[in-house]
Amino acid sequence: MKRIGIVCDGGDAPGINTAIRAIARASFEKEYEVLGFIDGFHGLIENDVKIITKSSVSGILALGGSILGISRFNPYRDPKYVEAIRENFKKNSLTLLVFIGDRDTVTIAKRLADDGIPSIVIPKTIDNDVYGTDYSVGFDTAVSMIAQSLDNLHATASAHHRLMVVETMGRETGWLALFGGLAGGADYIVIPEVPFTIEEIAAHVEKRKKEGKNFSIVVVAEGVVLPDEDKSKFEFDEFGHKVNAKRMVGYRLASKLEELTHLKSRVMVLGYLQRGGIPTNTDRILATRLGVEAVNLVGLGTSNVVLGVKNGEIITTAYEDAYDKIHTADTKYYELARIFF
Ligand code: F6P
């Protein structure tokens, strides 16, 4: 009898419940048992766990958030947490853990694998920065939310003839700003992967004005560092990421653009709204495919890999090859978006 333990780690993203349902339903087909740990690593460390049944995953396909809860926690901050994970893995007679997680999860999963605790990672993050997949669960839903926000902001920006700066999430990568901006018709996109100067953005906004466009929407990724920002003031989390929610790059960029262009600006930080909502069909299908594949891999005795999709096909990448890499935004999409600036 195989027993799978599900752990949700990192920031939540639409489609987590879809993945939980897929893992559970595919497992029941094979008569595997499934346990769900509550609130991510906290549940795994404190053995706060529940048996997943068919009825516990009924009606959750389209539900945002996570029925198991989720947390951002590095068990390697103290050896006693790793010891507790080892004990609970044994106590629950687990075959393997399935992490529904992000880039940091892959790093932790690799360390746990090195310490003898096997797992598989299903990548879920609105940031789309997990190495080993073209798309992570939740990204498509967040892009839809950004595009819809830009649709709404076009109306107010044009009525008031304003310069709107819209800040998206994305950590060190610009996927959300790029795809959201492309889908929503941004007039300029600023992402960490593409060098820029404030002067060239200002010149572009002014050019638009001269051409009769009395408003502009600039989308900026939270991870962008402005040329004159004081990096010594950055706050970092325990995984070494800038705490972008406190940097507010959108506000800084807007005030610099206002100085240079003398246009009235307004800022919209989309923030945590990007993580909510009903998963799109694309995310539901991705989460379902990856959840079912995770169970297939358990049957094959495969572990310590990140699942993903490449050109539409499901692939696996060994932790060893993925844990220290970032999936950065593909700049060919920037060239595409630029045509419409
Ligand atoms: O990783 C997803 C994400 O939403 C990032 O885009 C953002 O920087 C971060 O999480 C915020 O994390 P927290 O929920 O810990 O504030």
Side-chain angles (χ1 to χ4, degrees):
M1 161 67 69
K2 295 194 193 296
R3 289 191 117 196
I4 296 174
I6 303 178
V7 179
C8 303
D9 180 57
D12 70 311
I16 291 177
N17 288 325
T18 320
I20 294 173
R21 169 182 177 267
I23 297 163
R25 294 291 298 270
S27 294
F28 302 151
E29 286 277 305
K30 294 181 186 287
E31 299 188 351
Y32 298 169
E33 285 179 354
V34 183
L35 302 183
F37 290 92
I38 307 301
D39 295 340
F41 277 107
H42 295 295
L44 191 54
I45 287 163
E46 288 149 25
N47 204 30
D48 189 2
V49 64
K50 70 172 190 184
I51 293 176
I52 307 266
T53 62
K54 215 167 181 178
S55 77
S56 39
V57 295
S58 165
I60 67 166
L61 167 68
L63 205 63
S66 165
I67 59 159
L68 295 173
I70 189 162
S71 62
R72 217 187 266 297
F73 183 86
N74 184 358
Y76 279 91
R77 66 168 78 157
D78 192 321
K80 73 172 185 245
Y81 296 134
V82 180
E83 204 32 57
I85 292 172
R86 200 193 306 281
E87 268 171 35
N88 291 328
F89 188 89
K90 235 167 121 190
K91 192 186 280 175
N92 290 298
S93 307
L94 293 175
T95 311
L96 161 149
L97 293 166
V98 175
F99 289 113
I100 303 176
D102 61 17
R103 198 146 61 80
D104 299 326
T105 317
V106 179
T107 307
I108 298 169
K110 149 94 171 58
R111 290 189 72 176
L112 287 172
D114 292 345
D115 286 334
I117 298 158
S119 62
I120 289 170
V121 173
I122 293 180
K124 67 81 207 118
T125 164
I126 64 164
D127 303 337
N128 202 32
D129 60 349
V130 178
Y131 187 86
T133 187
D134 286 345
Y135 298 108
S136 290
V137 172
F139 172 65
D140 186 69
T141 310
V143 167
S144 296
M145 186 275 170
I146 297 165
Q148 202 188 331
S149 303
L150 294 192
D151 291 346
N152 294 350
L153 290 170
H154 266 93
T156 171
S158 106
H160 283 274
H161 316 319
R162 279 173 178 158
L163 164 64
M164 299 284 313
V165 175
V166 182
E167 182 184 317
T168 68
M169 283 187 163
R171 285 234 155 121
E172 285 86 355
T173 69
W175 282 108
L176 283 173
L178 182 52
F179 269 45
L182 184 53
D187 302 311
Y188 210 95
I189 300 173
V190 195
I191 59 173
E193 291 87 345
V194 177
F196 68 96
T197 64
I198 311 268
E199 289 72 21
E200 71 196 24
I201 306 172
H204 181 72
V205 168
E206 281 177 329
K207 179 170 159 273
R208 275 177 54 81
K209 198 173 172 211
K210 279 198 198 106
E211 288 169 359
K213 298 274 189 183
N214 58 13
F215 74 95
S216 283
I217 298 186
V218 175
V219 178
V220 59
E222 65 173 5
V224 162
V225 176
L226 300 185
D228 64 346
E229 252 187 293
D230 182 355
K231 298 188 183 74
S232 70
K233 297 231 168 74
F234 290 173
E235 207 181 295
F236 293 91
D237 68 16
E238 64 174 315
F239 292 98
H241 305 291
K242 292 193 290 307
V243 182
N244 288 313
K246 296 193 180 164
R247 280 180 54 239
M248 296 281 170
V249 69
Y251 283 94
R252 289 162 189 268
L253 179 61
S255 82
K256 287 192 186 301
L257 289 175
E258 206 173 272
E259 254 170 51
L260 290 175
T261 63
H262 307 293
L263 289 167
K264 287 265 166 282
S265 73
R266 289 290 186 271
V267 181
M268 184 76 236
V269 179
L270 296 177
Y272 294 86
L273 286 171
Q274 292 159 97
R275 295 211 313 221
I278 296 170
T280 57
N281 295 342
T282 300
D283 272 331
R284 294 181 202 192
I285 291 167
L286 178 62
T288 302
R289 290 179 74 196
L290 298 183
V292 170
E293 187 59 20
V295 177
N296 288 340
L297 292 183
V298 175
L300 295 170
T302 304
S303 62
N304 304 332
V305 292
V306 183
L307 270 168
V309 277
K310 189 120 211 113
N311 302 323
E313 296 302 319
I314 294 184
I315 58 160
T316 57
T317 307
Y319 289 161
E320 193 60 43
D321 300 324
Y323 81 101
D324 57 352
K325 300 193 182 80
I326 304 184
H327 177 231
T328 50
D330 185 341
T331 51
K332 76 168 176 272
Y333 292 103
Y334 196 88
E335 294 315 314
L336 184 63
R338 205 199 282 277
I339 297 172
F340 304 93
F341 287 177

